[in-house]
Amino acid sequence: MDAALRAFVRERAGQRCDYCRLHEDDADFLAFHVEHVIAKQHGGSDDPDTLCYACSECNWAKGPNLAGLLDGKLYPLFNPRRQNWKRHFRWEHTTLVGKTKTGVVTVQVLNVNDPSRVMLRENLLFEGRFPSDED
C-alpha cells in the first residue's frame, strides 16, 4: 500500500476514525491505521473501496473480525464503505450506542465504550471538542 493510497483514505475519512469518529488530532499518543474492512485473510484487498481509517484502539479490537455475537446470533460488523454511520450509531453523552444489531455488535467487538475511551471523550467534551459537527 503506497503513501498516496494511505493519504486518500485518511482524507476521505476527514482524519477521523471511521468507527468511533475520534479525530486524529484528539488522539495524542494513538496512531491511526489504514484498515482493511474485510481482512486479506477473508478475501479483502487494497482497493480503496475496501479500506477505512481507524484509530489504533478500534483497529486492534476489530482485528480480522467480520461479525459479532448478540443473543446467540451472528451479526455483521459496521462497514464504513457501504453503510451510513448515523443509521447504525448515536451518541448518548460520550457513550456510543448501537441503533441496529450491526451497530450494537460493532460497539461491543470494537470495545468503543471502554472506560478509558469514554474518559477521553469526556475530556474532549470539557474542552469543547466533542462531539464534532460530523457526529
Side-chain angles (χ1 to χ4, degrees):
M1 191 179 315
D2 64 21
L5 180 57
R6 289 178 190 278
F8 170 78
V9 172
R10 178 177 177 257
E11 293 306 314
R12 177 179 63 193
Q15 301 167 349
R16 291 186 173 281
C17 176
D18 279 318
Y19 297 108
C20 73
R21 307 301 297 140
L22 180 68
H23 194 281
E24 66 183 9
D25 290 345
D26 295 328
D28 294 332
F29 302 105
L30 297 174
F32 276 58
H33 308 169
V34 173
E35 199 264 324
H36 292 86
V37 176
I38 298 175
K40 285 189 170 184
Q41 73 188 59
H42 296 299
S45 73
D46 288 344
D47 183 285
D49 290 338
T50 66
L51 301 172
C52 73
Y53 202 53
C55 71
S56 57
E57 295 211 32
C58 282
N59 191 32
W60 291 331
K62 180 184 172 289
N65 291 308
L66 301 174
L69 279 174
L70 183 63
D71 299 325
K73 290 182 147 184
L74 202 57
Y75 294 94
L77 296 180
F78 173 69
N79 182 329
R81 296 286 56 82
R82 297 208 162 114
Q83 296 173 304
N84 181 285
W85 193 92
K86 288 183 178 183
R87 173 165 168 13
H88 294 279
F89 306 101
R90 75 173 183 278
W91 291 109
E92 285 186 6
H93 192 61
T94 55
T95 299
L96 188 61
V97 176
K99 294 167 52 176
T100 63
K101 302 288 187 188
T102 287
V104 171
V105 298
T106 301
V107 169
Q108 175 185 300
V109 171
L110 275 58
N111 203 21
V112 175
N113 293 320
D114 175 81
S116 65
R117 298 178 78 184
V118 172
M119 178 68 72
L120 172 60
R121 293 190 293 264
E122 292 279 344
N123 290 335
L124 293 171
L125 179 68
F126 179 76
E127 295 172 6
R129 296 167 37 198
F130 178 88
S132 75
D133 292 336
E134 294 181 32
D135 298 328

